[in-house]
Amino acid sequence: DQIFIGQGVGMLGNAATNIAFPVTIICTATALLLGIGSASNYNLASGEGEQEKASAIAGTGLSVIVLSGIVITVIVLLFLNPLLQLFGVTPDILPYAQDYVGITAFGLPFYILINGIPYIKPSLFSLHYTSDNASVIPALINTVVMTLLSLLIAVPFGIFSAIFLVEYSGKGNKFVEVIRLTTETLSGIPSIVYGLFGMLFFVNTLDWGFSILAGAFTLSIMILPLIMRTTEEALKSVPDSYREGSFGLGAGKLRTVFRIVLPSAVPGILAGVILAIGRIVGETAALIYTAGSVAQIPKSVMGSGRTLAVHMYHLSSEGLYMDQAYATAVILLVLVVGINTLSGMIARKLTKA
């Protein structure tokens, strides 16, 4: 069995070896783009136009990425065999283990793209899911609905909670410290725990059943700490001189918060919302227990439906639609990149305004 599995892994490893050099070039270009994007996001979040500091951050990030890749590659090449033998890999399957390490280190993301793009066909975008087409359109629509509904619930609560913590609560308030400790604790809870809570409370206790609404409320609780913390930090970054100038002109506390402070903190708040969107789109465990896995578009928010991530999980777990699962993974990546790009454009326009 080990030899049989090893042969399959070895075939994948040979493919990774053949594309190792172009993959290295692509990784370097990607690191450069990520560094430039990080600099742009830094300028957008700070709003201070510190171009030199942003460029330094981008250069440092790029250097760290490239040097880390070189170091890891050298370590793998020099010490691969002793490390594998140390972990109990026998000599008969050592070549297959080497190939497995190669594809994991160099080719996994690009392997997904290479195997997914050829299977993005028109039948994959049919309006109704069947066992023949394995359409992603119902899952795509459910993902958009789930994201919008979760944000509609979580964003107002998160923003207003952060406004209370920063603008209205006094310094040294014990109640505020308890809220912040609770928020940080909730940020570290695994998503499956949120899913079990959602199943017990929303699905069973409130008798909502497996539904889009139950999944959206569960995800809103999950992303609420993230939105609260990022909004709180964005509000703290607004200079006190803005508040003092508003008070000096006769504006009240509420008007100052909503007309002066909050607009200045919009880029930082949007950064938190973008991170929340990424977590919603990629979530599976919490939704399996709350939204269900029906591969159709529900007639209402009380109906069950699967998102793209859950759809991909079921396709891969069944083992009959691996090609469609790879194609779904590519579509999911494109969706996340598109949402992040659109959010960044909106943030830039709001910052200029």
Side-chain angles (χ1 to χ4, degrees), residues 153-163 224-225 227-229 231-232:
I153 299 169
V155 170
F157 278 101
I159 292 177
F160 286 123
S161 299
I163 290 174
L224 184 60
I227 296 176
M228 283 181 59
R229 292 298 295 171
T231 304
E232 187 178 356

Side-chain angles (χ1 to χ4, degrees), residues 25-241:
I25 298 176
I26 296 174
C27 287
T28 305
T30 304
L32 180 59
L33 293 176
L34 289 175
I36 296 173
S38 300
S40 301
N41 290 334
Y42 175 79
N43 276 342
L44 181 62
S46 63
E48 298 176 358
E50 299 180 356
Q51 301 288 341
E52 295 182 358
K53 189 173 182 179
S55 300
I57 292 176
T60 303
L62 175 61
S63 301
V64 170
I65 293 174
V66 175
L67 290 177
S68 299
I70 294 175
V71 171
I72 293 174
T73 303
V74 171
I75 292 176
V76 168
L77 293 177
L78 292 179
F79 303 103
L80 178 59
N81 289 353
L83 287 175
L84 292 176
Q85 293 175 358
L86 180 64
F87 285 98
V89 177
T90 56
D92 55 340
I93 62 172
L94 184 61
Y96 308 122
Q98 292 173 345
D99 291 340
Y100 179 79
V101 172
I103 189 173
T104 304
F106 299 108
L108 185 57
F110 302 96
Y111 179 78
I112 294 175
L113 292 176
I114 292 171
N115 284 272
I117 293 177
Y119 295 98
I120 300 178
K121 301 177 180 179
S123 61
L124 199 65
F125 298 95
S126 301
L127 184 59
H128 300 287
Y129 173 91
T130 64
S131 57
D132 295 327
N133 58 30
S135 174
V136 301
I137 290 298
L140 181 61
I141 295 175
N142 292 335
T143 300
V144 174
V145 173
M146 184 74 70
T147 301
L148 294 177
L149 195 56
S150 301
L151 293 178
L152 184 64
I153 299 169
V155 170
F157 278 101
I159 292 177
F160 286 123
S161 299
I163 290 174
F164 168 76
L165 294 176
V166 176
E167 302 294 335
Y168 288 94
S169 63
K171 295 182 179 180
N173 192 324
K174 297 297 182 181
F175 178 67
V176 174
E177 294 180 1
V178 172
I179 292 178
R180 286 174 178 161
L181 178 62
T182 305
T183 303
E184 293 175 357
T185 303
L186 289 174
S187 301
I189 295 178
S191 58
I192 192 171
V193 177
Y194 285 102
L196 293 174
F197 168 78
M199 183 183 66
L200 293 174
F201 185 70
F202 297 118
V203 177
N204 296 332
T205 304
L206 298 183
D207 199 23
W208 288 355
F210 291 106
S211 61
I212 296 292
L213 188 64
F217 268 90
T218 303
L219 291 182
S220 65
I221 297 174
M222 184 185 305
I223 65 175
L224 184 60
L226 174 62
I227 296 176
M228 283 181 59
R229 292 298 295 171
T230 53
T231 304
E232 187 178 356
E233 295 301 323
L235 293 173
K236 288 180 179 179
S237 65
V238 177
D240 290 335
S241 59

Side-chain angles (χ1 to χ4, degrees), residues 313-323:
Y313 165 75
H314 281 288
L315 291 179
S316 60
S317 62
E318 291 171 1
L320 301 176
Y321 306 97
M322 289 303 301
D323 297 334

